[in-house]
């Protein structure tokens, strides 16, 4: 089976398994664990922040960031296709008591004019803007990378109004690879940032939230509140350390296979995909022209040995990762051709 549903299916490397066997088994919820602290320090260093806190998932790092930055009733501004808004079950409202306002965007980048208009102070009739969130790479925008100039402009605008910025960087290192910069060059344009070691970086579990020392200290209390304190998390952190040390530089290979896929699909039918839209390892394929639904396509491709996720009624999402080589891509392209 050629599994293109997500980069989260990547299995740990031998070096990860080895490091997991040798990891410390401290109680991270009680006195802290040595390996977890090492991962947090490494994550902070890579993102250019003062501190980091290890958590079980990207969803939790985003939720904890919102809880830490905001207070009940605050407004959170974010691009309307944001993962936080559409795929995290409304935690932003139900758990943090914040209210979201979606901003129209292009390839995941918020319209700056609209963002400027929506930032507001507290009045008798409105709660103040409490937080602005960005997302890079942007999942719903097909793995699009926010331009650094955009991030800088959002951060400057937020600072002008005394509003903090959080960036959902679940695939931060893919964005860095696409921009040919290191992660801290991106993260300098945000007050807090999270990234996942569990996606293209191949570790089995975990995400790290990074920010100032004071922010992370407060975030640790919210992590506990939402049940995110892990006990003997050393082995998970150990795999995360190997992920950061050995898996970042190869992400460009996944971007190259995604390009190969988009080019092959375009050759079948130019309406399916355009390699110019593919910046990282996500390929959104528009099968609207076929008259069949994404669910039908996904089932038909499954029958040909290729697994993909429906992203909308008429869009499929293909995600490339470490276990996908050029031959798998060619087989996937052939399967799409056969299913037409
Ligand atoms: C942009 C983005 N943010 C957050 C998440 C959530 O991560 P997790 O699945 O670890 O909760 C994802 C997952 O795909 C994502 O793509």
């Amino acid at each position: 089976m050629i599994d293109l549903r997500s980069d989260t299916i990547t299995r740990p490397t031998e070096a990860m398994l080895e490091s997991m066997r040798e990891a410390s088994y401290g109680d991270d919820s009680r006195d802290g664990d040595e390996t977890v602290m090492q991962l947090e320090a490494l994550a902070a260093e890579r993102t250019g922040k003062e501190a980091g806190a290890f958590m079980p998932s990207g969803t939790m790092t985003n939720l904890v960031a919102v809880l830490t930055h905001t207070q009940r009733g605050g407004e959170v501004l974010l691009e309307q296709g944001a993962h936080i808004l559409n795929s995290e079950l409304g935690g932003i409202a139900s758990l943090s008591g914040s209210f979201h306002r979606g901003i129209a965007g292009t390839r995941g980048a918020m319209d700056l004019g609209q963002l400027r208009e929506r930032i507001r102070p507290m009045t008798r009739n409105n709660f103040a803007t409490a937080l602005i969130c960005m997302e890079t790479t942007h999942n719903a925008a097909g793995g699009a990378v926010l331009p650094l100039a955009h991030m800088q402009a959002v951060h400057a605008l937020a600072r002008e109004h005394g509003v903090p910025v959080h960036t959902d960087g679940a695939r931060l290192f893919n964005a860095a690879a696409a921009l040919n910069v290191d992660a801290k060059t991106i993260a300098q344009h945000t007050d807090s940032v999270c990234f996942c070691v569990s996606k293209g970086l191949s570790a089995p579990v975990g995400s790290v939230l990074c920010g100032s020392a004071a922010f992370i200290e407060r975030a640790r209390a919210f992590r506990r509140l939402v049940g995110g304190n892990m006990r003997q998390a050393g082995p998970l952190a150990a795999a995360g350390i190997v992920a950061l040390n050995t898996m970042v530089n190869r992400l460009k290979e996944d971007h190259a296979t995604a390009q190969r896929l988009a080019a092959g699909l375009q050759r079948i039918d130019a309406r399916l995909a355009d390699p110019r839209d593919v910046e990282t390892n996500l390929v959104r394929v528009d099968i609207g022209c076929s008259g069949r639904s994404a669910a039908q396509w996904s089932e038909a491709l499954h029958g040909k040995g290729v697994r993909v996720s429906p992203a909308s009624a008429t869009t499929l999402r293909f995600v490339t990762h470490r276990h996908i080589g050029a031959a798998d891509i060619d087989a996937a392209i052939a399967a799409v051709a056969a299913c037409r």
Side-chain angles (χ1 to χ4, degrees):
M1 199 51 84
I2 298 167
D3 198 340
L4 291 154
R5 286 172 301 161
S6 178
D7 45 10
T8 54
I9 67 133
T10 44
R11 292 180 297 277
T13 63
E14 275 310 309
M16 285 177 194
L17 294 171
E18 190 66 27
S19 75
M20 291 171 85
R21 270 191 291 271
E22 286 166 11
S24 52
Y25 279 85
D27 183 340
D28 191 51
S29 186
R30 190 176 298 272
D31 330 299
D33 169 76
E34 203 185 307
T35 317
V36 172
M37 287 190 270
Q38 277 170 19
L39 171 63
E40 291 175 342
L42 182 61
E45 196 257 312
R46 292 292 166 88
T47 56
K49 301 294 178 202
E50 287 174 357
F54 186 43
M55 304 193 198
S57 70
T59 300
M60 189 181 282
T61 48
N62 282 329
L63 175 61
V64 168
V66 174
L67 285 163
T68 309
H69 280 299
T70 66
Q71 286 180 347
R72 195 161 184 79
E75 288 192 350
V76 179
L77 305 182
L78 66 188
E79 197 275 332
Q80 61 195 11
H83 196 276
I84 294 179
L85 196 52
N86 297 286
S87 305
E88 299 185 10
L89 286 82
I92 194 171
S94 61
L95 300 177
S96 85
S98 302
F99 180 74
H100 76 263
R101 301 182 83 206
I103 308 285
T106 306
R107 295 189 61 74
M110 288 177 278
D111 180 278
L112 288 175
Q114 203 181 101
L115 178 64
R116 186 182 290 278
E117 251 171 50
R118 295 271 166 100
I119 298 176
R120 58 188 182 186
M122 172 124 179
T123 65
R124 284 185 181 185
N125 298 318
N126 298 313
F127 281 124
T129 306
L131 179 67
I132 297 173
C133 295
M134 292 189 270
E135 180 177 320
T136 191
T137 66
H138 196 287
N139 192 334
V145 180
L146 293 183
L148 289 173
H150 173 79
M151 294 190 72
Q152 186 176 21
V154 170
H155 200 203
L157 187 56
R159 275 194 178 147
E160 217 178 280
H161 293 85
V163 176
V165 175
H166 170 68
T167 296
D168 175 357
R171 295 183 179 82
L172 179 68
F173 291 93
N174 293 86
L179 291 170
N180 268 315
V181 298
D182 52 21
K184 66 174 82 153
T185 303
I186 298 176
Q188 68 181 320
H189 301 306
T190 184
D191 300 300
S192 62
V193 62
C194 60
F195 66 85
C196 302
V197 290
S198 56
K199 299 196 162 71
L201 298 181
S202 296
V205 173
S207 302
V208 190
L209 176 63
C210 297
S212 72
F215 171 82
I216 292 298
E217 198 48 35
R218 204 170 128 75
R220 289 187 189 284
F222 284 109
R223 179 181 69 174
R224 183 167 176 85
L225 174 79
V226 296
N229 275 17
M230 294 184 278
R231 295 289 180 176
Q232 296 179 343
L236 297 178
I241 292 170
V242 177
L244 283 176
N245 286 333
T246 65
M247 292 288 116
V248 168
N249 289 341
R250 62 154 307 285
L251 290 175
K252 282 188 176 176
E253 294 171 30
D254 301 340
H255 300 180
T257 42
Q259 278 296 322
R260 185 182 183 98
L261 175 64
L265 296 177
Q266 189 184 44
R267 277 196 301 277
I268 297 172
D269 186 328
R271 291 171 294 181
L272 293 175
D274 184 340
R276 287 173 303 182
D277 293 338
V278 177
E279 294 177 66
T280 56
N281 67 327
L282 269 55
V283 182
R284 293 222 155 210
V285 180
D286 184 350
I287 41 78
C289 56
S290 70
R292 275 175 292 148
S293 72
Q296 287 169 316
W297 267 93
S298 154
E299 205 181 308
L301 285 169
H302 196 178
K304 300 256 175 245
V306 177
R307 302 203 72 182
V308 297
S309 308
S312 73
T314 56
T315 319
L316 296 169
R317 190 184 78 155
F318 293 63
V319 187
T320 59
H321 52 76
R322 194 176 112 247
H323 306 306
I324 298 295
D328 301 309
I329 293 295
D330 295 345
I333 295 165
V336 171
C339 287
R340 278 181 81 218

